[in-house]
Amino acid sequence: MSRDFVLNSLTLSVVTPMYNEREAVDHFVARLRPVLDGLGVTYEVVAVDDGSRDETVERLLELREDWSELRVVKLRRNVGHQSALAAGLKSARGEYVVSIDADLQDPPETIGDMLAKARSENLDVVYGVRSDRSTDTSFKRNTAGVYYWLMRKLVGPHLSDQAGDFRLMSRVVVDTLNDLQEQQPVYRLVVPSLGFASGEVTYVRAERVAGETKYPLTKMIKLSVDSVTSFSAAPLRVATWLGLVTFMVCLGLVVSGIAAWGFGVTVPGWTSLYIAVLLLGAVQLICLGLLGEYVGRIYAATQNRPKFLVAFDTDEQEPMSTKPEAVSIEAAAVPTQLATHR
Ligand code: UDP
Ligand code: MG
């Protein structure tokens, strides 16, 4: 069987970014494999190791010894969930691609429903929509509530507030995403904005099977800032409005100052000066910060550095049709395997 034939006949790619998921990976594989084997389609699982510092890669390579459909793409360093997803989408070869987290919060059993729906209704995107998030912490639910409210204002009302990164996409959608020039794509916003024919399947969000969340507050804030700035220049307008409001206030102060001078009541005036200086300084700093967010992004875009670097990809080592040997990290990470993606 030629390699091309094998590649072109892949129906499904399951892309999973993994960061320090050593504790979850066995559970994940044990639950995912029977589901995919039961679908009766050709598939690959693209496990993208996002620069884990635990033994995630080593364990994946062991598991791959008796699951040749498991493909391991190791990134050189931690680039974050969305960029790791970008690496997986770039590597995936399936006619349909499903992205799913490694912690089993999204049930793999739903993949079958997504595929069936996409095929029967001829859809390009099928979103996994959470019908119940009660297993998430109330902090996560509340912050997610604010996030989706804001994003719907910016991206449009069609954005489902319960759709995360568990979704199925057809080849044409994945190719479109791979061609995006964006430095920090937030896929859960970009995909709905493209306007492909889409449907939904609902599922109940489970608890993380093992380990801790890999999304601390700092990463949540980064995702939110990326989301807002990649979809809207509205914050720049906030700066303009703030400037206008303070300008009006200052005009009033100027008038009252002149009047006070005219009436000869020009007392030391420390308080008013103090407040004016503080207020203006603060507003200017806010506006500078907002501008900086966008300038920083323009800077990153002109540098055009790769979003991620692949250290190795087990499927670039040998054709898929042969039973792979275990790939040692050292042997796999030869310089010729270095792939750069923008
Ligand atoms: N993840 C990643 N890189 C990161 C952080 C997270 O690849 O820098 C992966 C993680 O391994 C998981 C998915 O992204 O498969 C979602 O992360 P997590 O489940 O910790 O987020 P939460 O569900 O708590 O929002
Ligand atoms: Mg999770």
Side-chain angles (χ1 to χ4, degrees), residues 1-2 7 21 29 34 59 126 141 147 206 224 274 282 307 340:
M1 206 167 13
S2 85
L7 298 188
E21 297 287 7
V29 165
R59 185 63 192 142
V126 180
R141 283 203 306 270
Y147 174 83
S224 309
Y274 181 65
K307 281 199 277 290
T340 310

Side-chain angles (χ1 to χ4, degrees), residues 236-249:
L236 290 176
R237 253 166 266 139
V238 171
T240 313
W241 282 112
L242 271 178
L244 274 178
V245 169
T246 40
F247 179 68
M248 302 309 274
V249 173

Side-chain angles (χ1 to χ4, degrees), residues 301-323:
T302 54
Q303 280 179 319
N304 203 14
R305 294 221 178 116
K307 281 199 277 290
F308 54 84
L309 284 175
V310 174
F312 69 80
D313 175 347
T314 49
D315 265 35
E316 299 297 315
Q317 317 292 319
E318 67 272 285
M320 292 189 55
S321 50
T322 58
K323 174 87 181 140

Side-chain angles (χ1 to χ4, degrees), residues 193-205:
S193 78
L194 295 175
F196 284 102
S198 67
E200 293 178 355
V201 295
T202 50
Y203 70 99
V204 178
R205 181 113 165 132

Side-chain angles (χ1 to χ4, degrees), residues 11 16 29 73 90 93 106 113 116 139 141 151 160 168 200 215 232-234 281-282 294 296 308:
T11 303
T16 307
V29 165
V73 175
K90 203 107 191 178
R93 301 157 178 154
D106 313 324
D113 301 339
F139 174 71
R141 283 203 306 270
M151 288 308 130
S160 167
L168 174 140
E200 293 178 355
Y215 251 97
S232 173
Y294 289 88
F308 54 84

Side-chain angles (χ1 to χ4, degrees), residues 20-339:
N20 293 344
E21 297 287 7
R22 172 65 189 89
E23 289 173 62
V25 72
D26 283 72
H27 301 279
F28 178 68
V29 165
R31 185 136 156 229
L32 182 65
R33 186 170 185 177
V35 171
L36 297 181
D37 286 342
L39 290 179
V41 298
T42 49
Y43 68 86
E44 63 173 356
V45 175
V46 184
V48 182
D49 175 73
D50 186 14
S52 297
R53 274 166 299 178
D54 63 3
E55 284 83 47
T56 304
V57 185
E58 288 79 356
R59 185 63 192 142
L60 281 169
L61 291 173
E62 273 169 31
L63 288 164
R64 181 180 142 79
E65 283 173 36
D66 50 55
W67 193 18
S68 57
E69 285 87 353
L70 177 62
R71 182 173 160 196
V72 185
V73 175
K74 177 182 154 63
L75 305 186
R76 291 200 172 266
R77 67 172 178 89
N78 180 245
V79 290
H81 182 203
Q82 298 296 305
S83 295
L85 210 50
L89 294 180
K90 203 107 191 178
S91 313
R93 301 157 178 154
E95 198 185 322
Y96 290 97
V97 179
V98 170
S99 54
I100 185 171
D101 288 352
D103 58 1
L104 291 177
Q105 285 200 280
D106 313 324
E109 294 73 18
T110 310
I111 294 174
D113 301 339
M114 289 176 159
L115 187 61
K117 192 170 175 90
R119 284 175 145 178
S120 65
E121 298 176 25
N122 207 12
L123 300 173
D124 280 309
V125 187
V126 180
Y127 298 102
V129 174
R130 302 175 267 230
S131 63
D132 175 12
R133 281 186 82 136
S134 58
T135 54
D136 274 337
T137 61
S138 63
F139 174 71
K140 192 115 210 170
R141 283 203 306 270
N142 290 331
T143 48
V146 174
Y147 174 83
Y148 283 108
W149 172 81
L150 184 63
M151 288 308 130
R152 259 209 306 280
K153 294 251 172 262
L154 298 180
V155 182
H158 56 278
L159 185 73
S160 167
D161 60 346
Q162 294 303 340
D165 279 309
F166 183 30
R167 76 179 85 77
L168 174 140
M169 292 161 284
S170 68
R171 175 53 35 202
V172 56
V173 177
V174 175
D175 286 344
T176 308
L177 293 177
N178 288 341
D179 286 344
L180 289 179
Q181 295 296 313
E182 240 173 293
Q183 277 291 316
Q184 296 291 341
V186 180
Y187 288 115
R188 66 184 67 179
L189 305 179
V190 172
V191 175
S193 78
L194 295 175
F196 284 102
S198 67
E200 293 178 355
V201 295
T202 50
Y203 70 99
V204 178
R205 181 113 165 132
E207 269 179 66
R208 175 174 257 283
V209 66
E212 303 269 290
T213 175
K214 308 298 178 300
Y215 251 97
L217 189 61
T218 46
K219 283 188 179 169
M220 282 163 66
I221 292 172
K222 182 176 181 303
L223 182 74
S224 309
V225 174
D226 284 342
S227 302
V228 172
T229 52
S230 67
F231 264 91
S232 173
L236 290 176
R237 253 166 266 139
V238 171
T240 313
W241 282 112
L242 271 178
L244 274 178
V245 169
T246 40
F247 179 68
M248 302 309 274
V249 173
C250 287
L251 270 187
L253 288 174
V254 168
V255 172
S256 72
I258 292 172
W261 176 74
F263 289 114
V265 284
T266 43
V267 282
W270 179 83
T271 316
S272 55
L273 272 181
Y274 181 65
I275 293 175
V277 169
L278 280 186
L279 198 71
L280 283 177
V283 169
Q284 284 177 5
L285 283 180
I286 291 173
C287 299
L288 271 180
L290 290 173
L291 277 175
E293 283 296 330
Y294 289 88
V295 174
R297 276 164 179 75
I298 297 169
Y299 176 58
T302 54
Q303 280 179 319
N304 203 14
R305 294 221 178 116
K307 281 199 277 290
F308 54 84
L309 284 175
V310 174
F312 69 80
D313 175 347
T314 49
D315 265 35
E316 299 297 315
Q317 317 292 319
E318 67 272 285
M320 292 189 55
S321 50
T322 58
K323 174 87 181 140
E325 301 299 320
V327 184
S328 86
I329 295 177
E330 292 73 25
V334 288
T336 50
Q337 297 299 325
L338 181 74

